[in-house]
Amino acid sequence: RHDGHPPLYYLLLMGWSSVFGEGGVSLRALSGVLSVAAIGLTWTVARCHVDRRGAALAVAVIASSPFAIRYATEVRMYSLVLALLLVGHVAVVAAWRRSDVRRLAGVAGVTAGLMFSHYWSVFLVVVMVTGLLVVVVRGESEARPRAVRLLVAIALGSLSFIVWLPVL
């Protein structure tokens, strides 16, 4: 009630608590489940870029990270942000490889989810947009259309945040 962060985590928590109860363990379990999902997502993200050994190392790092462990036990949005960042990475890689409507909608959806999870996500969006604009202006001709499509998807996902601006 007194937290000024965007509402997505708290809406999920409301649904979670209606099923699992409002006790401390029940409420903390949502972050725990999201953190376990983040471990699996770390494997998926790492496999986009490295071999199985590198992916196993990435999983070991996230599973033993003091920050990830702490966030897994808090009734806060940080585990959700981590999971969304990892899903976003997979979505951007998939949309870069093949920019169909479904994949671009996934990028827009994850962007909206991040924007409604933590204000830090605004900085991530700015960095992504800046990087994609560099590709549009200076990149290879075959990469430009992909970058433009991703820019549109991120812009559409970000537009949903307009409804939260009066609260911000």
Side-chain angles (χ1 to χ4, degrees), residues 125-135 151:
V125 168
V126 168
V127 169
M128 287 294 297
V129 166
T130 302
L132 289 167
L133 285 173
V134 168
V135 172
L151 279 168

Side-chain angles (χ1 to χ4, degrees), residues 23-140:
V25 172
S26 297
L27 295 177
R28 291 174 188 269
L30 175 59
S31 291
V33 167
L34 290 167
S35 292
V36 170
I39 292 171
L41 289 165
T42 299
W43 174 269
T44 303
V45 167
R47 286 298 288 144
C48 290
H49 307 289
V50 297
D51 62 7
R52 293 175 64 87
R53 184 175 179 186
L57 181 61
V59 166
V61 168
I62 195 71
S64 64
S65 166
F67 293 108
I69 292 168
R70 178 176 175 171
Y71 295 153
T73 64
E74 292 185 358
V75 185
R76 302 280 296 173
M77 77 294 302
Y78 303 116
S79 293
L80 174 63
V81 171
L82 176 60
L84 285 171
L85 286 170
L86 293 164
V87 168
H89 185 97
V90 172
V92 167
V93 168
W96 184 263
R97 291 181 179 158
R98 186 166 154 232
S99 298
D100 59 24
V101 172
R102 183 178 57 90
R103 292 173 188 200
L104 292 168
V107 171
V110 171
T111 301
L114 281 164
M115 296 291 286
F116 280 98
S117 295
H118 200 285
Y119 293 126
W120 171 88
S121 301
V122 173
F123 298 110
L124 172 67
V125 168
V126 168
V127 169
M128 287 294 297
V129 166
T130 302
L132 289 167
L133 285 173
V134 168
V135 172
V136 169
V137 172
R138 302 186 72 184
E140 299 173 8

